[in-house]
Amino acid sequence: MRKRGVKLTTLVLALVFALGLLAGCAKGGGGAAQVIRYNLGAEPKTLDPALNAAVEAGTIIENVFEGLMRLDEKDRPIPGVAERYEKSADGLKYTFYLRKNAKWSDGKPVTAKDFEYAWKRALDPNTAAEYAYQLYYLKNGEAYNTNKATADQVGVKALDDYTLEVTLEAPTPYFLSLMAFPTYMPVRKDIVEGNSNWATKPETYIGNGPFKMTQWLPKDKIVIEKNENYWDAKRVKLAKVEMRMLEDATAALSAFRSGQLDYIESPPSQEVPNMLKSGEAQALPYLGTYFYEINVSDKAASVNPAAAKVLKDARVRKALSLAIDRKALVDNVLKGGQTPATTFVADSVVVDEKGNRFKTKDYYKPEGDVAEAKRLLAEAGYPDGSGFPEITITYNTGTGHQNIAQAIQEMWRKNLNINVKLENQEWKVFQVTRTQKQYLIARGGWIADYNDPMTFLDMWMSNSGNNDVGYNNPEYDRLIAAAKKEADPAKRVSLLHQAEDLLMKDMPLIPLYYYNNIVAIKPYVKGVTKSQLGFVFFDTGYVQK
Amino acid sequence: MEISKELFERVPAEEKNLNRIVRPSETYWQDVWRRLKANKLAMAGLFFVIFITVLAIVGPWFSKYDYRTQDFSIANMSPSAEHWFGTDQFGRDLFVRILYGARISLTVGYAVSILNFTIGVLYGGIAGYVGGKVDNFMMRIVDILLSIPSTIYVILLMLIFDAGLTSIIIALAITSWVGMARIVRGQILSLKQQEFVLAARTIGASSTRILLRHLIPNSMGPIIVTLTLAIPSAIFSEAFLSFIGLGVSAPMASWGVLASEALQGYQLYPYQLFFPAGAISLTLFAFQLLGDGLRDALDPKMRK
């Protein structure tokens, strides 16, 4: 026996050696190393599924965790941890049956209790999750989040380890798509409780998705590797994804061209037209709107009282919006084939399975209307900008945002004779500035959480954690609440249209353009899906050289 | 021995002047200027510095373009007779923007060195002249300040002040005077042992008078050299700060900002990077040459 053992060791050694050689050869030829190097673009503020509100971190969460459902390449829900589900006739109750072989990356089974815990945790007022309202669809979700109900009353219950019963407030046509959204990911009580840093260390960042995080070097890279404990691990071909955090688009492009990155998003705008022409980059659909937020809350006064006062006037906000030539902005500054935004809800958002779009009108011309803007400003008491205080646009560091801000600064100066100061902040700092409403005008971008106008509109309800502008209009809240309860699709859309009308009348935000996604991918990277919602799914990806 | 009249000879007129000093007498500064003039490289530096300063002051008045008006129809134009250095992606004339940039960069350079001069000379002068425990204490503070990389304070200071020209100047001045203080202190330490200081003290001159009238003027050589070298370093620090986004806010642009903006499209429009980068390099080079020349000219040992 012993002898054999020795022989075996020799054999193994020889095999390892031979494999090593093969692997060495492989780089040039056939079986390429299954590693993709992707540029995340920014250091995530948090990777905690309940606390995250940013798209970059969302990409990591989507790959490290798996919800009850996943999204296919067309963003349609397909079974994830849930093997199958039952939906009651009135659409108010879902029963999910979890697959028994779903495991966490440390080998423990994924149970219905993990979902119940995670959802209640995100709703817990003490967690203070910005995205808590994403779970308001659950019965008593909002009530619990606002301290009006107890955790036990929330409409989610693990009947046993593998059965989860969910009760909703109102029939929600897109509820299954939501099951794939980061906030709905399961987390483990034994890991999360009492350890507020669990999501920052690879050892405690335990997920149940196709990948697991193995390294996080702040400001440098996050590495996720294939999770062998994933129930469908045989489907995952990639061994490793290295996510770099190059904030500077030019640097990222150089790294891409020199072969240090395989997948980058949003290359520098100057380069985009040529990259699209040469096929180096491609434009993908993206459900999102780029806009400027105007701080209409009382906190704006602590930034600059005079400017806060003028921005409280809806006429001023409208004048600012109309003085922007969005067409020039898109054609000359962005140059990436985007569309000027004339509504807040992104133009490709649909309202039914047939693909009918929500957008039915333009609230203003893409070129703007300078004469009307001047008239409104004069009416508000600042003819030709006289007496108008200096206002500040705050944006996160990035050449693209800076270019847009510079163009708008000049449009406001030229058209309205208003002085604008520009201020850039690092992404992490900027997110805090925005949520704490310590700005006058800030850059905003909203990517749909699911393909429905509601995702664009319910964030401006007065109790929403993402309502960074402090917009508070009871009539608006009423319309959205009514739309959420409305079972008739046509009436629901009509309510949402009324809500958008109101939002564009009050104008606490200035839509600028609808996003599209410019990505540059090396030809040997295959199968990686970029969702219209912004996330990148690596589970289907592989490298073929 | 009898001294007869014949033994004497009349000195010819030309020999009468033999004892006179051969060279015309000149003051220290005349001498410095003479030697500086002989150094062609230093003179080239000096002329360039004067040229760029004058250009920065008057240049923008003669141009029909300004630094902020955007015109997308002429965006990203290559250098031409109309736009000498081309235009940027917003269609702004790059030549005019570089001239405005020179105003900012040179203002920072000069203002920082004036503050640097005032703080550094007084601090170093007092430490050197008073000596003893005071000197020890003051110089340890300098050591501590020197041991922390100045970029760190500058960035921290920029967080306290709002970003802008004044705060850049203050931030850079606060951190750059320590080198000057050390040099001045060294000079004063060796000068105060000399007889003229003793003489001044004997006739009852006050410490302030001795310091300001005797010691500091006599250390002017090294001070001026340090100063000429401090200007380019301030310009460079500002360019660097602007480059990483802590500088003046748009649409104003210093040379560093211009270079940073051009970086986005440098593969397509290399001239947008070339001109501001060239302006920074040439100006720094000119100041270095001038400083080098001044060091030679001011050094009494190099006197020929």
Side-chain angles (χ1 to χ4, degrees), chain B residues 24-38:
Chain B
S25 110
E26 36 180 28
T27 66
Y28 177 61
W29 292 107
Q30 281 172 327
D31 184 44
V32 167
W33 175 238
R34 187 180 56 78
R35 278 186 291 155
L36 188 67
K37 267 198 293 193

Side-chain angles (χ1 to χ4, degrees), chain A residues 88-154:
Chain A
S88 69
D90 59 3
L92 284 175
K93 191 180 263 181
Y94 285 81
T95 313
F96 292 97
Y97 298 96
L98 275 62
R99 57 183 83 247
K100 302 215 161 56
N101 56 349
K103 286 198 184 81
W104 292 94
S105 57
D106 62 356
K108 292 195 176 157
V110 179
T111 67
K113 292 198 178 73
D114 298 328
F115 283 92
E116 186 185 338
Y117 170 72
W119 295 4
K120 286 184 176 167
R121 170 173 177 263
L123 278 173
D124 188 338
N126 297 323
T127 311
E130 279 168 61
Y131 249 133
Y133 75 94
Q134 194 69 280
L135 293 107
Y136 283 4
Y137 302 98
L138 305 178
K139 192 162 182 60
N140 286 323
E142 182 174 5
Y144 175 43
N145 190 234
T146 50
N147 279 319
K148 288 185 192 114
T150 62
D152 294 336
Q153 288 171 298
V154 176

Side-chain angles (χ1 to χ4, degrees), chain B residues 2-17:
Chain B
E2 197 186 330
I3 300 165
S4 65
K5 217 178 175 184
E6 287 74 42
L7 284 173
F8 290 91
E9 218 178 313
R10 194 169 268 276
V11 178
E14 55 270 27
E15 280 186 34
K16 258 186 180 170
N17 292 334

